[in-house]
Amino acid sequence: MTRPAIRTTSRPMKQFFLTVLGVFAGLFLFLIVVPFILITVAISSASSKEPTPSHTVLELDLREGITDQTPTNPFAVFGGGGLSTLQVVDALAQAETDNRVKALLIRLPEGGITPAAADEIRQAVRRFRRSGKVVIAHSQGFQPVGTAVSSYMVGASASELWMQNTASFQLAGFSSDGIFLGRAFDKYGVTPEFEQRYEYKNAVNEFTESDFTPAHREAMTAWMTSIYVSALANAAQDRKLTPQALRATIEAGPYSSADARRLRLIDKIGQVEEAEAEARRRAGRGAEIVEFADYASAKGERAGTGRNAIAIVGGEGAINTGTGGGDVFGSGSSIMSDDLAEALYDAIEDKAVKAIVFRVSSPGGSPEASEQILAAVRAARAAGKPVVVSMGDYAASGGYWISSEANWIVAQPSTLTGSIGVFGGKFVLADALGRFGVDMRNLSVGGEYSDAFSPSQSFTPAQRAAFAAQIDRTYEEFITRVSTGRRLAPARVREIARGRVWTGAQARTLGLVDQLGGLEEAIAKARELARIPADESVRFKRYPTPESPFEALSEMFGVSGEAARVLVGIGGVMNDPAAEATVRRIQTDRARASGASVLADQPW
């Protein structure tokens, strides 16, 4: 009889201790951890805003990886993200007219970077060079993997291309590997059941096939060749060689650094320290190396001046319905339809904004989320604000859906776009789990379609037919969007769609893209469509607006931004006796003024 009594009295006590523990954990978080993070960010920000030396060499390290756009979350840096393509382009544009910046040193990755990012960075480097400033690129080798040709293209745009003495020039083409799980799924009893529209919509092939289908091989070979030929043509132009000669030389490799220099693939051989010394020498006496990220942070984004403004609205990653996706400290990106649509509507409602540049870098996602964003694009056009899409690394499938009805589309030659198609389905796992003694059974109530996506059983013929009809409807809706936006006959769209991926250069010839280029070209077109005179200054307004640390914290902990600000402020004063005394005095004075009484030693 004593056990029930012990249990009933221990529960309130246990809850009490849990509550106390939670309070102390919360106090520790807000009084110590959060202030520490904010102080760290503040110190970092302050240190990055030190004056740029009078003779500066910017060092841009592309080996750390690069995203398309800078995250709006101020804590995303803790997730390990590096620079963004747009940040590089923006900072180089400012460095062109900065008399303190004399030279640029680029550290090249051995395995390559995203082709479209390489295109845009190359264009920015060439503009920087046209301002009369020197660019030195240094490589520790070009490996025969992935998109190393894109890395070489960026290096070729420099005034001088250096390579380490022990490094090898192994670039001989462009390769890509695919993993197919079809045989493994057969062996282990996993049944993929998918509908795809149409034969070029190859995302499901990795689950259903053991090799490239003819359509898959055709499409991939075509866009890989387009990227390869474009990169070689650009590199040949910058190296003052013919594309044919450069291609023949590269494909006859690999080479030692000495052979690469003899064949005019590079300019000089040396360690990176020697390249840095040469850059400082070219920059002038007393020149200093400044990390590119520090310079970019100190300069901030171009704001511009003038009465009229151009909005730059950005979205990067897979497209999903909803809002606020991702970990506050994460580096991954995604496009949440509520957030991006709201950003577009904010730009529409801003009377100073005369045109919108919509930067899209997405491999696709939800049709419903894509349609929500496209509706905002339509609203902008209806409000008399032209929309110019600037495509980044990708603008395929859903990424093309949200771009399709813009006034004008600009893409890099190596942007992967199109993929006008749709797929969907499920994996049936009952057999696979049964081999391990795990039995999966399904119960459902309602209509026959209620358990259509149960992994315990295959589609029934009726379910398969209903699902296929839904996929067909979505495909036809996609065709309609493209036909309307690009002013192409639906039959022509069906002919060039069928789920096929195109490069920007290929899409331009098909009428899916209007112009080749990057953000700068998109801004110029937006000015033209908004009828802003070429000699008139404009402001740039970015959406979504970057979050403050307090807003990011409020998102993370579910409190208001003002509450987060107050809690951090408390953490800052708790260890300061003078501040604590001042707070007590203020509290006492306020209480006296209201007729209340407060003990002088009441804890805060």
Side-chain angles (χ1 to χ4, degrees):
M1 296 298 294
T2 58
R3 286 187 177 181
I6 292 174
R7 287 179 179 175
T8 54
T9 56
S10 65
R11 284 175 183 169
M13 187 64 69
K14 180 180 179 181
Q15 184 62 46
F16 170 77
F17 282 118
L18 286 174
T19 302
V20 171
L21 181 62
V23 170
F24 277 107
L27 288 172
F28 176 80
L29 177 65
F30 281 111
L31 303 184
I32 298 176
V33 176
V34 171
F36 173 78
I37 292 173
L38 292 176
I39 290 169
T40 301
V41 170
I43 291 173
S44 174
S45 176
S47 64
S48 68
K49 296 184 183 298
E50 293 176 356
T52 305
S54 58
H55 289 74
T56 291
V57 175
L58 296 180
E59 183 166 353
L60 172 59
D61 194 339
L62 296 176
R63 300 171 304 167
E64 300 174 358
I66 191 166
T67 59
D68 183 70
Q69 299 164 35
T70 305
T72 57
N73 177 2
F75 296 122
V77 65
F78 294 105
L83 289 165
S84 71
T85 300
L86 295 192
Q87 194 175 16
V88 171
V89 170
D90 195 80
L92 282 179
Q94 296 184 73
E96 288 177 38
T97 57
D98 189 339
N99 293 330
R100 297 166 298 179
V101 177
K102 307 297 184 183
L104 173 68
L105 175 66
I106 303 175
R107 304 291 304 277
L108 298 171
E110 298 164 53
I113 58 178
T114 307
D119 279 335
E120 195 139 9
I121 291 171
R122 170 184 176 265
Q123 293 156 7
V125 169
R126 285 169 59 85
R127 289 191 292 267
F128 181 83
R129 284 188 62 188
R130 282 200 294 268
S131 68
K133 300 181 181 184
V134 68
V135 179
I136 293 176
H138 186 275
S139 170
Q140 290 179 291
F142 296 100
Q143 299 297 321
V145 294
T147 57
V149 65
S150 298
S151 180
Y152 180 68
M153 181 186 69
V154 172
S157 68
S159 314
E160 294 179 0
L161 175 54
W162 290 50
M163 194 162 79
Q164 187 172 309
N165 60 323
T166 56
S168 298
F169 193 104
Q170 300 184 61
L171 166 63
F174 176 18
S175 67
S176 178
D177 294 301
I179 295 178
F180 298 93
L181 301 172
R183 288 195 306 118
F185 282 178
D186 285 343
K187 180 178 179 179
Y188 294 105
V190 176
T191 305
E193 296 191 349
F194 285 89
E195 292 285 333
Q196 61 193 99
R197 301 292 182 273
Y198 277 100
E199 70 272 20
Y200 293 105
K201 196 69 175 179
N202 296 310
V204 303
N205 288 8
E206 63 183 289
F207 308 125
T208 61
E209 307 294 334
S210 60
D211 197 355
F212 293 103
T213 63
H216 194 176
R217 186 181 299 276
E218 175 193 353
M220 280 199 65
T221 301
W223 67 252
M224 288 174 64
T225 300
S226 178
I227 288 173
Y228 181 53
V229 169
S230 175
L232 287 180
N234 289 334
Q237 177 186 4
D238 293 334
R239 299 293 302 167
K240 296 180 171 56
L241 299 168
T242 66
Q244 297 81 2
L246 179 60
R247 181 169 183 169
T249 301
I250 282 178
E251 292 181 0
Y255 303 108
S256 66
S257 57
D259 287 338
R261 183 180 180 187
R262 176 178 57 81
L263 294 167
R264 297 175 58 198
L265 295 174
I266 63 172
D267 296 299
K268 292 187 178 181
I269 298 172
Q271 300 294 332
V272 66
E273 290 79 11
E274 296 174 275
E276 289 176 343
E278 176 63 13
R280 285 197 299 268
R281 185 188 71 79
R282 301 280 288 274
R285 187 173 181 179
E288 298 181 37
I289 301 285
V290 173
E291 289 188 17
F292 196 91
D294 291 340
Y295 178 81
S297 177
K299 296 294 287 186
E301 296 175 324
R302 283 177 293 173
T305 58
R307 177 172 51 90
N308 295 319
I310 292 176
I312 299 176
V313 181
E316 179 176 8
I319 303 171
N320 304 295
T321 58
T323 183
D327 180 359
V328 72
F329 293 114
S331 59
S333 297
S334 61
I335 295 175
M336 307 306 293
S337 61
D338 285 10
D339 295 336
L340 190 49
E342 182 181 6
L344 288 164
Y345 284 115
D346 286 344
I348 293 169
E349 293 167 5
D350 190 329
K351 293 181 180 179
V353 170
K354 305 303 179 185
I356 298 171
V357 172
F358 185 17
R359 178 72 174 202
V360 177
S361 188
S362 171
S366 161
E368 291 74 25
S370 300
E371 179 66 12
Q372 180 184 356
I373 296 166
L374 181 60
V377 172
R378 293 192 197 107
R381 295 189 60 175
K385 300 191 177 185
V387 179
V388 177
V389 165
S390 169
M391 292 181 170
D393 295 332
Y394 315 93
S397 194
Y400 194 81
W401 186 308
I402 66 178
S403 306
S404 60
E405 296 187 29
N407 295 78
W408 194 259
I409 298 178
V410 181
Q412 291 294 351
S414 298
T415 296
L416 294 182
T417 187
S419 192
I420 301 167
V422 61
F423 74 92
K426 67 175 181 178
F427 295 100
V428 180
L429 304 175
D431 184 23
L433 294 174
R435 299 181 187 193
F436 296 94
V438 178
D439 296 314
M440 177 179 283
R441 303 288 185 265
N442 172 260
L443 289 174
S444 65
V445 296
E448 182 179 352
Y449 199 73
S450 62
D451 62 352
F453 286 91
S454 167
S456 66
Q457 59 197 24
S458 295
F459 288 119
T460 66
Q463 289 172 342
R464 187 80 184 224
F467 179 57
Q470 179 184 330
I471 291 290
D472 287 334
R473 283 194 299 274
T474 303
Y475 180 72
E476 288 303 316
E477 287 169 352
F478 202 166
I479 295 295
T480 300
R481 304 300 181 272
V482 178
S483 175
T484 302
R486 304 308 302 161
R487 299 179 181 176
L488 295 170
R492 174 57 177 161
V493 178
R494 289 191 187 91
E495 180 184 340
I496 62 179
R498 306 190 71 81
R500 183 160 178 170
V501 173
W502 306 97
T503 63
Q506 293 171 323
R508 172 70 181 85
T509 65
L510 297 170
L512 298 177
V513 163
D514 296 297
Q515 181 182 355
L516 298 181
L519 184 68
E520 298 300 312
E521 288 74 18
I523 289 173
K525 187 63 182 181
R527 288 180 62 114
E528 176 189 331
L529 294 177
R531 298 179 181 178
I532 301 173
D535 58 351
E536 181 182 320
S537 297
V538 295
R539 290 180 289 135
F540 300 111
K541 305 189 76 171
R542 289 167 172 81
Y543 301 88
T545 55
E547 291 181 313
S548 71
F550 299 105
E551 289 169 333
L553 286 170
S554 70
E555 213 175 88
M556 180 180 183
F557 298 114
V559 297
S560 70
E562 187 60 31
R565 190 183 301 270
V566 170
L567 286 166
V568 171
I570 293 172
V573 303
M574 280 298 287
N575 293 323
D576 186 338
E580 188 177 354
T582 301
V583 169
R584 284 202 302 268
R585 265 198 312 275
I586 292 172
Q587 186 186 33
T588 302
D589 291 343
R590 284 180 177 173
R592 285 173 179 168
S594 63
S597 61
V598 179
L599 295 175
D601 59 351
Q602 180 178 345
W604 175 250

